[in-house]
Amino acid sequence: AAGKRLAVLSNSGKRAVPNAERIAAMGFEPSLFDVVMTSGEALWRDIAGQRVTERVFVTIERAPGDADGWADGLDVTVAAPVEDADAVLLMGLPDGASASDFAPILDAALARGLPVLCTNPDRASPRADGQVVVSPGALAHSYAASGGEVRFYGKPHRPVFRALETAMGTAPDRMIMVGDSLEHDIAGGKQAGWSTLFIEGGLHAACFGGADPAAALAALAASAAAPLPDYAIARLQ
């Protein structure tokens, strides 16, 4: 009603168009959002622009076919065996998966010195039924801790924020990041010079059952070594 422009900035390994379609399927009018920018879109554009040179990927995806759809329009090979690949494309994990399920692939990749291109830096993600599931970032950070090379696309890493600023034609000090992850949404927004608004009833809802949400937020930020947001609300509505 105030005429403010809205965008979606998502740590989705998929490209912008399927995410825009997913948002519409949730019941949101597509015209509400000027731009949908995803980490998968950012990597796709970097490969198309020759800024990423790897072309043969062993793929970890949420559902079969995700990588094929993402790679449309690129001269790349996805779903290659580890011994033939020159990088790991870490797009998503099936719900219910554990990090140990992918240890054989990542151990073999580490032995070959393959980089991991992670298009979803989230370590965990909430689902509609209240479940929190393991996300690709958990695997990527474990790989890095073992000495492997990881290139992250998405929040909290600055390039995806700059890509959205460019697409919106808006200066950082006129942007506000709204999200439920202190580590990704809030820390990333702060680093990019944006204002930040934290949603208490999302990923960390279990921490906010007491009488003092400000104290809970301070404790959560301290435990995550993350900055405090500029603003906080109980839920997005």
Side-chain angles (χ1 to χ4, degrees):
K4 305 301 180 183
R5 300 165 66 211
L6 301 178
V8 175
L9 183 58
S10 171
N11 277 4
S12 167
K14 296 182 180 180
R15 294 194 62 197
V17 169
N19 275 278
E21 292 169 350
R22 181 182 176 196
I23 292 165
M26 293 176 181
F28 293 96
E29 171 55 47
S31 63
L32 283 172
F33 305 104
D34 281 23
V35 176
V36 175
M37 178 62 66
T38 70
S39 42
E41 180 74 22
L43 175 58
W44 192 98
R45 293 183 183 195
D46 271 2
I47 293 174
Q50 306 292 318
R51 291 178 292 276
V52 169
T53 58
E54 287 84 4
R55 290 293 181 272
V56 182
F57 301 106
V58 55
T59 309
I60 298 174
E61 56 192 350
R62 183 176 180 186
D66 282 352
D68 287 327
W70 169 86
D72 186 40
L74 294 175
D75 183 19
V76 299
T77 300
V78 297
V82 176
E83 56 270 21
D84 295 336
D86 47 31
V88 178
L89 176 61
L90 178 50
M91 293 183 64
L93 303 179
D95 285 0
S98 68
S100 61
D101 294 338
F102 304 95
I105 293 174
L106 294 177
D107 287 348
L110 186 64
R112 290 198 57 222
L114 301 185
V116 167
L117 307 183
C118 179
T119 57
N120 185 342
D122 291 346
R123 297 174 191 256
S125 298
R127 292 290 181 260
D129 57 4
Q131 253 191 323
V132 175
V133 299
V134 177
S135 287
L139 271 67
H141 283 283
S142 176
Y143 192 80
S146 298
E149 177 190 354
V150 178
R151 300 179 213 157
F152 287 104
Y153 280 77
K155 303 170 289 184
H157 305 280
R158 190 167 296 186
V160 76
F161 288 86
R162 295 294 179 247
L164 183 53
E165 292 164 11
T166 299
M168 295 287 285
T170 304
D173 64 359
R174 300 300 299 163
M175 304 283 286
I176 184 166
M177 182 72 224
V178 180
D180 66 348
S181 169
L182 286 174
E183 182 182 7
H184 298 108
D185 300 319
I186 304 307
K190 287 278 190 179
Q191 291 170 13
W194 298 14
S195 297
T196 55
L197 169 61
F198 178 69
I199 308 301
E200 297 166 352
L203 180 62
H204 299 289
C207 299
F208 291 91
D212 190 349
L217 180 55
L220 182 62
S223 67
L228 286 168
D230 297 301
Y231 312 100
I233 56 176
R235 61 185 180 275
L236 190 63
Q237 59 183 8

